[in-house]
Amino acid sequence: MQAKKRYLLVSLGACILLLAYLGGLQIGEFHHQHHHLYKASHGQNQLRQHWPQWINPLNTYLDREEHGEDGHQQQGNLSPRERREVRNNIYKSTKCRMETCFDFSLCQSGFKVYVYPLQKGEKISESYQKILMAIEESRFYTTDPRQACLFVLSIDTLDRDQLSFQYVHSMKTKIQGLPMWNNGKNHLIFNLYSGTWPDYTEELGFDIGQAILAKASIDVDNFRPNFDISIPLFSKDHPQKGGGKGYLTFNNVPPSRKYLLVFKGKRYLTGIGSETRNALYHIHNGEDIILLTTCKHGKDWEKHKDVRCDRDNEEYSK
């Protein structure tokens, strides 16, 4: 009996020593990483001191396993080889992050945005004009490219559907001729529509290089975390200004609003976009998240009608 007790005490002591050793390793590694992170962040504080600061920055919507570069999702009816070719042609700088493809040294004097002057004979859509006007009327706008931290094109890149009358031709030549292009570094490109029927790939018709892409309906495979920007799709009738005075003061995020999320639109029963819009009802709570969809889209929508269509159509019409 005494031998068994001694054996148990020795085993317990060995386990405690092992746990203490492993805990020491973890603490040492934590301090080592914290020291390097502190040095890196301290070195960039001078560069970012004039940037807008948010109390609670939003987390990326990607899962950890989706941060890799090797994931692939279906794009219409394209074969895997065709999808890879599209991806490689559009996003050659797939590993771009703010730390690798953005020159913070240009922002030492503050966050200033320069908009290229509109070239003679160049036309832009009403929607893109609203974007440029919003920038030019903001306190971040500068007419001096030497003071700029970020550059925005005057060339309309919103609609890159080749069947659209707003499609701008010879985009590659026009962008490569910009004096400060520098393979897109510190540039911001806006896009709402890309590709064409029936696959609607994300082909833009030019290489964005190291530019930041602010795009609607961007594919998760092409989205570069902590670099690109996902923006909502808005119509040309969307007002540039309107409504009451906002409540965003003292860097309070989110602002004090009654509704956190509101969406009203068609619910595609089949085809591209149907998986996303058919799943919206999961987060609709009728209080601060309002998502109203209708199945009435296309001439043959009743052929694909599901059990929720009648209720969705009724709520949509209220």
Side-chain angles (χ1 to χ4, degrees):
M1 182 63 69
Q2 295 297 328
K4 288 184 178 180
K5 289 183 178 180
R6 286 196 297 270
Y7 176 75
L8 290 174
L9 289 174
V10 171
S11 300
L12 180 60
C15 291
I16 293 174
L17 289 175
L18 180 60
L19 290 174
Y21 174 72
L22 294 176
L25 289 179
Q26 293 292 331
I27 293 174
E29 180 65 20
F30 171 80
H31 283 295
H32 178 72
Q33 293 180 357
H34 180 73
H35 176 69
H36 283 281
L37 287 173
Y38 173 79
K39 289 178 64 180
S41 62
H42 183 71
Q44 290 184 351
N45 276 343
Q46 296 299 322
L47 300 181
R48 300 184 180 182
Q49 59 182 347
H50 300 289
W51 284 52
Q53 298 294 321
W54 305 108
I55 296 176
N56 297 313
L58 299 177
N59 294 325
T60 174
Y61 66 84
L62 294 175
D63 295 329
R64 290 178 180 269
E65 60 269 19
E66 291 177 324
H67 280 191
E69 305 297 336
D70 297 326
H72 293 286
Q73 286 186 341
Q74 293 290 333
Q75 283 189 2
N77 299 319
L78 296 180
S79 67
R81 180 183 61 81
E82 290 173 327
R83 290 198 301 274
R84 285 194 298 270
E85 288 179 355
V86 169
R87 177 186 174 91
N88 293 334
N89 288 334
I90 306 170
Y91 305 97
K92 294 181 180 178
S93 302
T94 56
K95 295 185 179 181
C96 266
R97 301 295 183 267
M98 294 299 291
E99 296 79 12
T100 58
C101 294
F102 194 90
D103 187 358
F104 286 99
S105 66
L106 299 181
C107 310
Q108 291 184 4
S109 59
F111 183 74
K112 293 295 182 180
V113 183
Y114 174 78
V115 178
Y116 284 92
L118 189 64
Q119 298 299 313
K120 185 178 180 180
E122 198 75 44
K123 296 181 180 180
I124 61 176
S125 63
E126 184 179 350
S127 296
Y128 198 57
Q129 181 65 45
K130 291 178 180 179
I131 293 177
L132 298 186
M133 287 181 63
I135 296 174
E136 292 172 352
E137 293 176 0
S138 74
R139 60 189 175 92
F140 302 107
Y141 176 65
T142 179
T143 57
D144 187 355
R146 295 170 298 180
Q147 297 180 357
C149 168
L150 189 67
F151 299 86
V152 175
L153 310 183
S154 62
I155 308 171
D156 193 342
T157 56
L158 287 187
D159 194 344
R160 300 306 296 159
D161 183 348
Q162 296 184 22
L163 298 180
S164 173
F165 70 93
Q166 293 182 336
Y167 180 84
V168 178
H169 296 273
S170 305
M171 182 68 75
K172 180 179 179 181
T173 303
K174 293 178 179 180
I175 289 182
Q176 292 296 332
L178 296 175
M180 281 81 69
W181 176 244
N182 191 24
N183 194 32
K185 183 167 289 189
N186 288 55
H187 281 66
L188 175 62
I189 294 176
F190 292 92
N191 176 253
L192 296 181
Y193 310 98
S194 61
T196 190
W197 186 88
D199 294 309
Y200 289 100
T201 64
E202 298 193 15
E203 175 62 60
L204 299 179
F206 63 95
D207 178 21
I208 65 175
Q210 297 180 350
I212 300 171
L213 182 62
K215 179 174 173 55
S217 304
I218 188 169
D219 193 288
V220 68
D221 283 344
N222 297 328
F223 183 81
R224 295 169 294 182
N226 302 320
F227 192 72
D228 288 331
I229 306 168
S230 179
I231 62 175
L233 181 65
F234 61 91
S235 69
K236 64 179 181 179
D237 298 324
H238 188 80
Q240 180 182 347
K241 298 179 180 179
K245 185 178 179 180
Y247 297 92
L248 185 56
T249 58
F250 301 107
N251 293 335
N252 291 325
V253 178
S256 301
R257 299 284 178 86
K258 178 179 180 180
Y259 299 107
L260 176 64
L261 176 64
V262 176
F263 173 81
K264 186 176 183 180
K266 295 180 174 63
R267 175 160 72 87
Y268 305 134
L269 298 175
T270 59
I272 297 174
S274 60
E275 292 184 3
T276 302
R277 297 203 178 189
N278 283 333
L280 291 179
Y281 76 96
H282 286 293
I283 58 175
H284 170 78
N285 60 20
E287 297 178 359
D288 61 338
I289 300 179
I290 309 296
L291 300 171
L292 303 175
T293 59
T294 177
C295 298
K296 297 179 180 180
H297 176 65
K299 296 180 180 180
D300 59 347
W301 69 270
E302 291 183 306
K303 296 180 181 179
H304 308 285
K305 183 178 178 180
D306 58 29
V307 295
R308 296 200 333 270
C309 278
D310 290 337
R311 184 182 60 186
D312 288 353
N313 291 341
E314 182 181 353
E315 291 185 356
Y316 182 89
S317 302
K318 288 182 179 179

